Amino acid sequence: MTSTAPAGPLSHDTAPAPARPWWIIAAGPGAVVAAIVALLLAGAWSGAFEALGTFSDPGAVARWGSPLATVLAELGVAVTLGSLFAAACLVRPGRGQARLLDVAGWAAAVWAIAAVVELVLQYSVVSAQSPTADNFGAGLSQFVTDVELGQISVAIIAIAALTSGVALAVRGPVGALWTALLPVAALTLQSTTGHAAGAADHFLAIGAMWLHLMGAALWVGGLAAMAVLVVGRFDDVTTAAVARYSPVAAWCLVAVGVSGVANAWIRMESLDDLTTGYGVLLVVKIVLTAALGVLGLMHRTWVIGRLERAASPARRLFWQLLAVELLVIGAVSGVAVALGSTAPPVPDDVPADASPAYQLTGYPLPPEPTAARWLTEWAAEPVLAFACLAGIVVYVRWALRLRRRGDRWPVGRTLTWCAGMLLMLWTTNGAPTVYGHVIFSGHMIQHMTLAMLVPLLLVLAAPVTLLLRAVPARKDGSRGSREWVLALVHSRVGELLARPVVAAVLFSGGMIAFYFTPLFEFALTNHLGHLWMVVHFTLVGYLFANALVGIDPGPQRPGYPMRLVLLFATMVFHAFFGVVLTTGTSLLVADWYGNMGRDWGLSAIEDQQRGGGIAWGIGELPTLALAIIVAVQWTRSDEREARRRDRQAERDGDAELTAYNDMLARMADRDETAGR
């Protein structure tokens, strides 16, 4: 990927800035026009918005107005998210940041209005009723209260309205970052609708859709934020923001590309499907996306370096490329909405499968687990897979950056990090996920691996220390990854969660709160709940391991004896938890595991008891490893202290020992005098 921006502030441009051409100001509205034109052309060509029949036609206004409202809503949420991200991570506090927050607020208002229109026209299309029908209002009311799609649409409208008010009210990077979580939540809800809602591979479709929406929104919104800054004064703030946005755009391109391949994989059976209406629109979208990637590469190779030297020709070239990018972005947005409204070659209808496992999980019952199948069974989850592979790439790049700089970074830490990421990839995309949905013992393997093994490997790799050494500190008051991580580590919440006792309570007590409350069922039946479970287990395990054996800065770690006490207390709790499951006769989430209809393996309750033994066994082995690491660190700490004392003795002639002997001699003299 591309490198990050320079650490320090860029010099102010003393040369007179060239006049901004009129077309750079018109590029933003031009992108909206391009999106609408592309949507109309693509929809007219594919016939996606044509009437299906005389009695199922809600009218041309609903059929063509619904996708138009969708385009405006998606552009609105993209500009909102991109402006908030830029305000939080790309620019320093000042007029540029305030302008971005104002743009985010007004863009969110447009998003909310477009979402309301989209909801009304969407119901009109679904119900095949014109908005002017007599009973349209009553049906719409029932749609938003009783139907999941309507409920999600109302929630998105509420989030958009809230985002608009908050973005206009807050100031500063912290407020911008917190506000950015609102459009992220809306995109998360949106990822569960559309084609993803009816795809056979439900979890893969939802994960790919979320990754696609997030990557596209941040990409489009980031370009819009750059345009907002450029329309203002082209100074060092704008130049630094452009350089910092470049690697973000590269990652967004990768996310959009990977998720696009996953979406095409689900909805197409062969290359012959590229000749269908859906396939042709998909090819057009791919070509336009590739063109955006080329334009971004031109920015990186031709423009950014010259912008930092305040070259006027580079500014003109930047304006030209940005204007073309915004127009292409608009065209991509229009084609994407038309593509989402076009029937794919593989129907979205879930295949009829009467098996209990399919009815519960959405997947066929996997074969009986064997040693080989624990390595060969896979169920792709794009979000977690992308996060694991990106984690490896970023860590290795940072380590190589230190090596090129002449600094030393242990190869063992790099290998440990890669091993932890690959283990997490297997746990979240491999057999533990496949079997974790159908048998409790498979789920417990996934849980223990995420909570015990993966965090231990990640902690020993010291990622925060590597980040602090590899990423330059910013000097202009803006906040990048380094500044945000340090702010989190030293925040009150971060310090509280990192305390060893708190981490131990979360680590141990979290299991009780998870397995003996409805949270367990939520994680099994809902994909978002499953993702939350993975993040929770891994994060809590990381906090606990970091409090005991971590190298990174953060918690005020207790002495080594206290660490061993906490560790063995946790071991006892794990043993108790395992015994409760092993001897228990009440089935957890009986409606799920008890109705799976398996024709292989143990019964549901016997498998749960086996899962208790796994929780006991797998939980104890990493705990023992932690105890060994604590003991080794204790020994090394004593050795370092001994060497320090030896060096001190060489410098001062062993003054400490001499003073100690003198004290003993004085005590002996006092005792002798008292005896006489």
Side-chain angles (χ1 to χ4, degrees), residues 276-296:
T276 63
Y278 184 90
V280 171
L281 290 182
L282 178 63
V283 171
V284 172
K285 182 181 177 183
I286 292 173
V287 172
L288 293 176
T289 304
L292 285 173
V294 172
L295 291 171

Side-chain angles (χ1 to χ4, degrees), residues 80-91 176-177 180 218 222 244-245 248:
T80 301
L81 180 60
S83 299
L84 290 172
F85 172 78
C89 302
L90 301 183
V91 300
L177 187 64
L218 196 55
R244 291 162 182 165
Y245 170 70
V248 175

Side-chain angles (χ1 to χ4, degrees), residues 352-378:
D353 190 333
S355 65
Y358 197 95
Q359 295 300 316
L360 288 172
T361 67
Y363 293 87
L365 182 70
E368 184 174 4
T370 62
R373 285 172 180 156
W374 279 103
L375 298 176
T376 57
E377 291 291 326
W378 290 84

Side-chain angles (χ1 to χ4, degrees), residues 72-114:
L72 295 177
E74 292 189 354
L75 290 176
V77 68
V79 174
T80 301
L81 180 60
S83 299
L84 290 172
F85 172 78
C89 302
L90 301 183
V91 300
R92 65 175 182 240
R95 287 181 298 176
Q97 187 180 81
R99 189 185 310 122
L100 287 171
L101 289 171
D102 290 339
V103 169
W106 290 112
V110 173
W111 168 30
I113 296 172

Side-chain angles (χ1 to χ4, degrees), residues 157-183:
I157 293 171
I159 292 174
L162 179 61
T163 304
S164 177
V166 174
L168 292 173
V170 301
R171 286 297 178 267
V174 176
L177 187 64
W178 279 107
T179 309
L181 296 179
L182 293 173

Side-chain angles (χ1 to χ4, degrees), residues 181-338:
L181 296 179
L182 293 173
V184 170
L187 291 174
T188 303
L189 291 175
Q190 185 179 341
S191 66
T192 62
T193 64
H195 284 312
D201 200 337
H202 190 57
F203 284 0
L204 175 60
I206 291 178
M209 183 59 68
W210 186 88
L211 197 61
H212 200 77
L213 291 174
M214 284 297 302
L218 196 55
W219 193 2
V220 174
L223 279 175
M226 297 304 101
V228 169
L229 292 175
V230 168
V231 168
R233 185 174 182 273
F234 206 137
D235 54 8
D236 59 330
V237 175
T238 305
T239 305
V242 170
R244 291 162 182 165
Y245 170 70
S246 180
V248 175
W251 279 110
C252 290
L253 174 62
V254 174
V256 170
V258 170
S259 58
V261 170
N263 283 319
W265 176 271
I266 298 171
R267 299 178 178 93
M268 300 179 66
E269 292 180 337
S270 65
L271 293 178
D272 294 336
D273 291 334
L274 292 176
T275 60
T276 63
Y278 184 90
V280 171
L281 290 182
L282 178 63
V283 171
V284 172
K285 182 181 177 183
I286 292 173
V287 172
L288 293 176
T289 304
L292 285 173
V294 172
L295 291 171
L297 181 62
M298 294 169 65
H299 270 298
R300 189 65 199 173
T301 55
W302 295 357
V303 178
I304 292 179
R306 298 168 65 188
L307 282 178
E308 295 171 356
R309 296 189 295 271
S312 296
R315 290 183 174 180
R316 286 192 293 269
L317 181 58
F318 172 76
W319 283 332
Q320 294 167 359
L321 291 176
L322 180 59
V324 174
E325 276 185 294
L326 290 173
L327 294 177
V328 176
I329 277 286
V332 172
S333 301
V335 172
V337 173

Side-chain angles (χ1 to χ4, degrees), residues 384 387-393 395-396 398 409-410 412-428 449-467 534-547 549-553 557 622 626 629 633:
L384 297 174
C388 293
L389 296 178
I392 293 176
V393 172
Y395 191 99
V396 171
W398 286 347
W409 185 257
R413 292 184 184 176
T414 303
L415 296 177
T416 301
W417 176 267
C418 294
M421 287 284 101
L422 291 175
L423 181 60
M424 186 173 182
L425 177 66
W426 171 75
T427 307
T428 57
T449 304
L450 289 173
M452 300 292 293
L453 296 177
V454 171
L456 178 58
L457 293 172
L458 300 185
V459 164
L460 294 177
V464 176
T465 301
L466 177 60
L467 172 111
V534 171
V535 173
H536 170 75
F537 286 162
T538 308
L539 179 60
V540 171
Y542 180 88
L543 291 173
F544 181 67
N546 187 49
V549 300
I551 307 169
D552 287 331
R557 297 180 178 91
L626 278 171
I629 295 173
Q633 290 181 345

